[in-house]
Amino acid sequence: MAYKNLLITGANGCVGQYLVDWFLKNTKFRLYLMVRDKSKLPISVQENKKVKLMVCDIRESNRYKKEISQINYLIHTATAWGDPKRAYEVNIKAFEELLKMLDIEKLEKIIYFSTASILDTQTELMRESLIYGTEYIQTKYECFQRLRESSFAEKTFAVFPTLVFGGNLGKKSKYPVSYLTSGLKEIGKWLWLARFLKLDSKFHFIHANDIAQICGFLIKNHKEEQYKGFRKYVLGQKFISIDDAIITLLKRNNMRRFFAIPLTKKILKILLRILPIQTTPWDNFSIKKYDFNHVPITNPETFKLKSHAKSLNDILRLSKLPSCNNN
């Protein structure tokens, strides 16, 4: 029996390692893992007989042109931000060069990772993302447009994660810690102040384990009629407000809230004018937009699976966030 070949780019990142773990446990696929630094992968993965490492920057992927031409499934998570030139080279140019090396006759499905920041409430492209967005957001917007119009569109699932949590704050986290989970360490410093503020801005979140579940389902069930064609999935749990999050954290830390000052969009704009805070055009647009909720939203329950982290309490428990001692 010929086993299928799955290529995962960015395989040593937080989401990437959850994906690797899921496919090793739940499939017989041969995994081709594109990584810049193989030392970030667990030894057990590096030495697994089902794994072939492709150690390179994605901009150098032509070094593995022969292997790429044999790929049946591609999950593309590799990305770049911070530098406009590098963001364009990685997020657009290198990805398109990678697509050219694939054999479209052998290729069965692509899962392309974008960002929910380029979509509006109804999950349509939001033009303001291209106007005000960071270089990361702008390049993701442009790449998505190009992919949608390419010959690979009918074989593509585009996934748009919302706020991603993963790994934990313990000394021996099995997985890399996501940027947001890492940021939870600072929460105790500001919770004493946050409890006096009320902000109803809405947002979604999702755990990397649940992202892996969804991607696994889409790959394994891609031949079913309802999963054919170019599809978009915004990945997240049901939205909560920032105030809901504050209340959850207060309860977890046995802290009381005696009163809360509502922070409306108008008040936020005034504060930004009078406080010595530098903001980007995207920051200003985000404040104006206020809510970051989407319809429809996709989570494991969408496919009759069970979420690893369905609530914020689940996220906090899995992150191993220590409690504050403030009263």
Side-chain angles (χ1 to χ4, degrees), residues 137-164:
I137 293 171
Q138 290 176 341
T139 52
K140 282 296 186 181
Y141 185 106
E142 185 174 346
C143 190
F144 175 76
Q145 279 191 310
R146 294 187 185 192
L147 181 58
R148 185 169 59 179
E149 296 167 2
S150 75
S151 58
F152 292 93
E154 289 300 311
K155 297 190 175 187
T156 297
F157 293 138
V159 296
F160 302 82
T162 49
L163 300 181
V164 177

Side-chain angles (χ1 to χ4, degrees), residues 27-87:
T27 72
K28 294 183 179 180
F29 292 172
R30 278 193 295 258
L31 303 189
Y32 288 74
L33 308 182
M34 188 176 290
V35 297
R36 286 187 297 166
D37 182 358
K38 70 176 184 179
S39 69
K40 293 183 179 180
L41 288 172
I43 296 297
S44 60
V45 171
Q46 295 183 45
E47 296 179 349
N48 193 298
K49 292 181 180 180
K50 294 197 296 183
V51 169
K52 178 175 176 58
L53 299 182
M54 302 165 70
V55 183
C56 67
D57 186 293
I58 192 172
R59 291 171 290 185
E60 305 165 332
S61 57
N62 60 350
R63 287 164 46 188
Y64 295 95
K65 189 172 183 178
K66 181 179 178 181
E67 290 87 347
I68 293 170
S69 69
Q70 301 301 309
I71 294 301
N72 305 113
Y73 303 104
L74 167 64
I75 300 182
H76 178 63
T77 76
T79 192
W81 61 87
D83 175 69
K85 181 175 182 293
R86 182 168 176 265

Side-chain angles (χ1 to χ4, degrees), residues 236-266:
Q237 300 295 342
K238 179 177 169 56
F239 68 76
I240 64 172
S241 70
I242 292 177
D243 198 54
D244 292 333
I246 292 172
I247 291 171
T248 298
L249 287 161
L250 290 174
K251 288 181 179 178
R252 188 175 186 275
N253 291 284
N254 296 315
M255 296 172 68
R256 284 191 255 176
R257 173 189 258 182
F258 299 100
F259 65 89
I261 302 170
L263 287 182
T264 62
K265 281 196 284 186
K266 187 174 182 179

Side-chain angles (χ1 to χ4, degrees), residues 14 161-167 169 176-187 203-206 315-316 319 321:
C14 177
T162 49
L163 300 181
V164 177
F165 291 89
L169 301 174
V177 181
S178 75
Y179 178 78
L180 284 169
T181 296
S182 179
L184 290 173
K185 291 184 291 187
E186 301 295 313
I187 207 158
F203 66 94
H204 301 277
F205 62 85
I206 191 161
I315 292 290
L316 297 174
S319 71
L321 176 69

